[in-house]
Amino acid sequence: MTQTRPQYSAADIADIARRARIHILEAVAHAKGGHVGGPFSAADMLAALYFRVLNIRPEEPDWPDRDRFVLSKGHSSIALYTIMAMRGYFPVAELQTFDAINSRLQGHPDMTVTPGVDMSSGSLGLGFAAALGIALGARVQQRGFTTFVMLGDGECNEGIVWEGAHVANRYQLDNLIAIIDHNKLQQFGWRGETTSERITPYTGSQLADRWKAFGWQVLEVDGHDVQAFLDTMDQARAAPGGPVAVVAHTIKGKGVSYMEGNYKWHSRVPTDEEFAIAMDELGASEGGGA
Amino acid sequence: MSDVTLGKAQRVVFGETLTELGAHDPRIVILDGDLGNSTRADIFEKAFPHRFFQMGIAEQNMLGVAAGLATIGYVPFISTLAAFATARALDPIRVLIAQPRLNVKIAGAYSGLLAGKTGKTHISFDDLAVMRALGHMTVVAPADETETRQAIRATTEYDGPVYLRLSRQPAPLVFDDAYRFEIGKAVVVRRGSDVTLISTGVQTTRTLEAAEALAAGGVDAHVLHVPTLKPLDTDAIVEAASETGLVATVEEHTILGGLGGAVAETLIERHLVPMKRIGLPDTFAESGPDDALLDKYGISSDRVAQAVRTFVEHPRA
């Protein structure tokens, strides 16, 4: 199989993710809608996937032997679009059409309009089942590619996730890697001591334990440590015998101080002042373009 | 209909036809929701064990897996009851199959009122309305063994999502081997001049029986069989309505949004005539013997004939 993975360093990828966050916030501010917290928690991993891990050809999005990637946490679409644009699937300038009428960049990923999007998603849990189907078929056809799927931790509330977790284990799908963006918060979430405090859906090792209980091999990693994430992906690809769940510990809103760990930034449009602070913290003056 | 020839049950035809087609078409696979020995997908499993995927009692995941398989060239058929496919797994059907127009064939077994003494949880007579409302979805409800065999073949040749409504019990043959099913085409199965009966699925057998009973009482019914609910053969419906100027729809389905709804939508825009919808009312059903259910819920041939007679006497009542 032709290897078409460019050799970006971990530092290169971290900088791509930093610039991606700038584009993401610009696109959301421009669209006056969209999600920020989840895209920021996933940005480093998406950059690593598209710039190093996935065997893909942006100039040939339907290349049959490409690795598949399904963003099951479809509300982080703007992060996916941004990374894909930076990787060359479509012009970065097109990010300004996010959520606009007639745009190829819909609020949630739509495989029928966006080149390189392998599966539509948005109703949570569904993308995971579809990824499982791709992996199952690929194994029967003895195809060499790997299917990656990214879920949110809140998404793991959905029953369909555990239906699929059971089935993937029964079929011992060693060509399926699930990455769980464990950013510890969901849209509104679970009440803490007071109504303004929202707490993680899965405390401690609960999330990893659940995947282990369903027979998956579980790897844990800091989802913002690019080198560690790249090493974990290598390990996940090489792991024999069955599906691998990578529980990636992340911070919702990562990269902007006032967003980090604040559930209110799940989906919110920044004010002009907030936008300026964020751009400053993300180092927009050091180069924000693609 | 005194010398009726009983055809095979549609579920048996499902298993047999996919086994025949599967021998030449390696794209065909079946995903089973732990009902293969009811839906008769077990016939296919015996021939092609490696193309039969047990998905367990987890319908949502099963429909999602089918979508994934379709993206890499498979033609997945779903094996579960109509109720579980169209109600429980509606979200994956909508988002992963209908919206991206993926090539998945959803066979809804045990559809309609006759779900084998199981009761309202397993009975499904709103499936046509639900599936017809979904964008991109083709909806097919064949009448008998002959048409089911051909419809299954046609759905494998068509590239896109299809809901295939199948019933449990053996039913009399309506069509002989000379018949040619085509997606989107309705067919006149009886010529008459007093009233037009428009029918779909296995109900067409009972509609034809009702037409015989009506003929004995001097009412000559024209019968149009509509095996494809979507895309609907609106020209055939308008033409059949023009033949008699009176239309009654007959279906083993609720009168809300199924064939009756589809025909009403057509006639109100193109050819307004007095119309009566015969089918299940706004209700859920119950368990019981088949004949008793058909009679109680108004779709036995006797009850249909009675309803049509009343309609013909007082079309604007």
Side-chain angles (χ1 to χ4, degrees):
Chain A
M1 189 184 300
T2 317
Q3 294 300 309
T4 55
R5 278 174 270 180
Q7 291 304 306
Y8 289 88
S9 71
D12 294 338
I13 290 167
D15 194 58
I16 289 165
R18 177 188 66 80
R19 288 187 285 130
R21 288 185 173 92
I22 293 169
H23 288 307
I24 291 166
L25 203 61
E26 284 172 346
V28 169
H30 186 264
K32 297 187 173 57
H35 295 73
V36 179
F40 278 17
S41 66
D44 297 298
M45 296 186 285
L46 288 169
L49 286 163
Y50 275 85
F51 281 83
R52 191 68 181 269
V53 177
L54 297 175
N55 190 24
I56 47 177
R57 293 177 178 170
E59 70 287 0
E60 190 188 350
D62 296 329
W63 176 41
D65 291 327
R66 70 191 183 280
D67 284 334
R68 303 306 198 270
F69 178 74
V70 178
L71 184 69
S72 196
K73 48 171 281 184
H75 53 284
S76 291
S77 61
I78 187 58
L80 176 68
Y81 300 151
T82 299
I83 294 294
M84 289 178 76
M86 293 172 78
R87 184 72 169 82
Y89 281 88
F90 39 82
V92 170
E94 196 170 335
L95 295 172
Q96 293 297 304
T97 72
F98 174 57
D99 260 344
I101 195 77
N102 297 327
S103 174
R104 297 198 292 181
L105 308 180
Q106 292 287 297
H108 290 84
D110 182 343
M111 66 188 290
T112 67
V113 294
T114 313
V117 166
D118 289 324
M119 181 56 65
S120 299
S121 62
S123 179
L124 291 172
L126 301 191
F128 178 60
L132 201 166
I134 297 170
L136 179 64
R139 205 188 52 188
V140 177
Q141 292 175 347
Q142 297 182 308
R143 309 269 290 273
F145 66 80
T146 300
T147 301
F148 296 78
V149 54
M150 183 181 283
L151 302 96
D153 50 4
E155 183 174 10
C156 294
N157 297 170
E158 291 280 8
I160 188 175
V161 171
W162 304 106
E163 292 183 0
H166 167 241
V167 171
N169 170 246
R170 285 211 72 94
Y171 283 92
Q172 292 291 294
L173 296 178
D174 56 7
N175 56 353
L176 178 65
I177 297 172
I179 300 160
I180 299 101
D181 182 7
H182 193 6
N183 63 26
K184 321 292 191 295
L185 290 171
Q186 47 198 102
Q187 170 160 334
F188 187 43
W190 310 82
R191 189 172 63 243
E193 291 296 313
T194 67
T195 53
S196 61
E197 186 198 346
R198 314 312 291 188
I199 59 174
T200 176
Y202 304 98
T203 57
S205 64
Q206 278 185 344
L207 195 52
D209 291 345
R210 277 158 172 71
W211 287 93
K212 279 178 199 156
F214 277 79
W216 287 53
Q217 298 177 66
V218 176
L219 303 172
E220 294 191 66
V221 67
D222 175 348
H224 302 305
D225 180 338
V226 173
Q227 188 58 56
F229 183 76
L230 291 170
D231 293 344
T232 303
M233 287 294 106
D234 285 343
Q235 212 182 324
R237 268 195 201 265
V244 178
V246 175
V247 174
H249 295 277
T250 59
I251 296 168
K252 196 152 184 169
K254 171 73 177 178
V256 175
S257 57
Y258 61 83
M259 294 181 187
E260 290 188 1
N262 183 349
Y263 80 96
K264 289 178 181 165
W265 281 96
H266 174 84
S267 55
R268 195 178 139 183
V269 179
T271 63
D272 290 348
E273 191 190 351
E274 287 165 345
F275 184 82
I277 295 169
M279 286 298 137
D280 188 49
E281 290 188 11
L282 291 168
S285 58
E286 298 157 36
Chain B
M1 302 290 287
S2 50
D3 54 344
V4 287
T5 311
L6 215 55
K8 288 178 180 170
Q10 290 182 335
R11 54 181 175 149
V12 174
V13 181
F14 172 70
E16 287 183 354
T17 306
L18 287 181
T19 304
E20 285 163 27
L21 295 172
H24 310 287
D25 190 346
R27 302 173 308 152
I28 295 173
V29 294
I30 293 186
L31 305 184
D32 181 40
D34 193 35
L35 288 167
N37 49 355
S38 293
T39 66
R40 302 314 312 271
D42 57 351
I43 299 168
F44 182 91
E45 185 189 29
K46 277 203 179 64
F48 309 108
H50 300 297
R51 283 154 56 192
F52 174 95
F53 301 113
Q54 183 54 257
M55 288 287 117
I57 309 165
E59 294 80 10
Q60 295 182 51
N61 177 66
M62 172 165 65
L63 272 296
V65 168
L69 285 165
T71 67
I72 55 169
Y74 283 106
V75 182
F77 277 77
I78 296 297
S79 150
T80 186
L81 301 199
F84 305 148
T86 65
R88 188 157 197 151
L90 181 59
D91 189 30
I93 290 175
R94 177 174 170 273
V95 173
L96 294 178
I97 296 170
Q99 288 175 1
R101 232 188 262 269
L102 289 175
N103 199 14
V104 176
K105 316 303 175 184
I106 303 151
Y110 288 38
S111 68
L113 192 55
L114 308 183
K117 297 187 180 175
T118 48
K120 62 184 71 168
T121 53
H122 289 51
I123 287 171
S124 175
F125 53 78
D126 49 16
D127 52 327
L128 292 177
V130 170
M131 299 312 280
R132 192 171 81 81
L134 279 182
H136 300 164
M137 186 63 69
T138 291
V139 180
V140 176
D144 69 351
E145 175 188 343
T146 309
E147 192 171 44
T148 304
R149 207 174 286 287
Q150 295 191 27
I152 290 171
R153 179 183 293 273
T155 65
T156 61
E157 289 164 2
Y158 166 77
D159 184 12
V162 176
Y163 176 62
L164 183 67
R165 189 182 214 230
L166 300 177
S167 73
R168 178 173 185 270
Q169 301 293 37
L173 284 174
V174 175
F175 298 106
D176 59 28
D177 289 340
Y179 173 69
R180 288 293 168 263
F181 169 84
E182 202 180 319
I183 291 175
K185 285 287 173 216
V187 55
V188 176
V189 290
R190 188 183 196 283
R191 297 220 159 262
S193 53
D194 294 334
V195 60
T196 297
L197 307 183
I198 301 180
S199 178
T200 188
V202 293
Q203 182 67 28
T204 292
T205 292
R206 293 187 286 268
T207 304
L208 285 167
E209 289 167 0
E212 293 299 316
L214 287 163
V219 175
D220 186 19
H222 189 77
V223 181
L224 180 72
H225 171 61
V226 180
T228 309
L229 272 284
K230 209 173 91 178
L232 192 64
D233 191 345
T234 52
D235 288 345
I237 286 167
V238 169
E239 194 186 323
S242 313
E243 294 280 340
T244 69
L246 282 183
V247 170
T249 54
V250 194
E251 59 197 305
E252 189 182 328
H253 188 268
T254 170
I255 58 171
L256 306 172
L259 176 71
V263 169
E265 290 161 16
T266 301
L267 294 181
I268 207 159
E269 287 183 348
R270 292 188 50 188
H271 189 82
L272 200 56
V273 294
M275 184 180 158
K276 171 77 182 168
R277 291 167 300 149
I278 300 168
L280 285 105
D282 182 6
T283 188
F284 289 103
E286 63 194 288
S287 53
D290 290 353
D291 288 346
L293 284 168
L294 293 171
D295 184 63
K296 176 169 178 178
Y297 291 93
I299 53 173
S300 64
S301 50
D302 286 351
R303 291 286 309 274
V304 170
Q306 192 185 333
V308 173
R309 218 172 280 126
T310 307
F311 172 59
V312 171
E313 283 164 17
H314 307 285
R316 294 185 188 275

